[in-house]
């Protein structure tokens, strides 16, 4: 890391530490920034009750407490970018804590525990990690969007979920009756 860049990080840490020492109230955004810079605490994102750490250095969302799962790589999110809405809409497999592998052409029903979630851009979830990766000044990045410590994703269902639309189209094309949803998933408003 370049010296001038390190100097700016030290200055920013010092300003936040001075506020803490003077027992001034930090805003929620300042608390998140303080924890990210001084405590190396990664931001988290909650996906269907599962907590993931946003690790910009490793370029992935790492599941908390599940070392068997490889998590969700940022590069894999690009396949699910919704250009119209300017966001990622991924099919999430809550059983495996990863992106669900689905062949949309042969898709006649939604597997249990799979649903579409909206994930913010990694550069929005971890502003400090983003700035560090590209050697950009923190001040410039944080002015646009402040550092947050936690995100909760939106679950899409009904006409907003492209999975349900594919199921309807595929069943109709094969002459199968429409799928009847018997029960709602607890806590997912499906």
């Amino acid at each position: 890391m370049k010296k001038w860049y390190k100097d700016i990080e030290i200055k920013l840490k010092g300003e936040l530490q001075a506020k803490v020492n003077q027992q001034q109230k930090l805003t929620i955004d300042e608390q998140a920034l303080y924890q990210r810079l001084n405590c190396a605490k990664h931001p988290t994102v909650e996906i269907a009750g599962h907590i993931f750490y946003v690790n910009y250095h490793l370029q992935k969302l790492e599941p908390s407490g599940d070392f068997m799962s490889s998590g969700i790589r940022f590069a894999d999110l690009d396949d699910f970018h919704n250009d119209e809405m300017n966001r990622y809409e991924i099919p999430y497999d809550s059983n495996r804590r990863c992106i669900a592998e689905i062949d949309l052409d042969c898709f006649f029903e939604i597997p249990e525990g799979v649903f579409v979630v909206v994930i913010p851009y990694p550069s929005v979830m971890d502003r400090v990690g983003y700035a560090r990766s590209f050697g950009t000044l923190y001040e410039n990045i944080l002015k646009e969007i402040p550092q947050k410590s936690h995100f909760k994703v939106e679950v899409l269902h009904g006409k907003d979920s492209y999975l349900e639309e594919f199921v309807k189209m595929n069943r109709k094309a094969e002459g199968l009756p429409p799928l009847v949803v018997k029960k709602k998933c607890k806590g997912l408003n499906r």
Side-chain angles (χ1 to χ4, degrees), residues 47-62:
I47 304 174
H50 302 136
I51 302 295
F52 287 80
Y53 292 103
V54 182
N55 191 329
Y56 213 91
H57 177 70
L58 294 179
Q59 294 286 299
K60 68 180 190 173
L61 300 174
E62 296 179 303

Side-chain angles (χ1 to χ4, degrees), residues 138-156:
Y138 292 136
E139 287 93 351
N140 297 343
I141 295 293
L142 296 170
K143 282 180 189 173
E144 297 169 19
I145 301 171
Q147 179 72 42
K148 303 268 188 231
S149 62
H150 184 71
F151 294 85
K152 191 169 183 174
V153 301
E154 174 187 358
V155 177
L156 299 181

Side-chain angles (χ1 to χ4, degrees), residues 46-49 87-90 92 94 113-119 152-158 160-164 185-190:
E46 182 179 339
I47 304 174
R87 63 188 188 186
Y88 295 117
E89 296 177 357
I90 67 164
Y92 177 71
S94 64
V114 174
F115 35 87
V116 177
V117 295
V118 175
I119 294 189
K152 191 169 183 174
V153 301
E154 174 187 358
V155 177
L156 299 181
H157 47 85
D160 296 329
S161 171
Y162 62 86
L163 291 181
E164 292 182 22
C185 292
K186 186 177 180 181
L188 297 177
N189 301 326
R190 228 176 116 194

Side-chain angles (χ1 to χ4, degrees), residues 7 78 91 109 111 189:
D7 292 342
D78 292 337
E109 65 180 313
N189 301 326

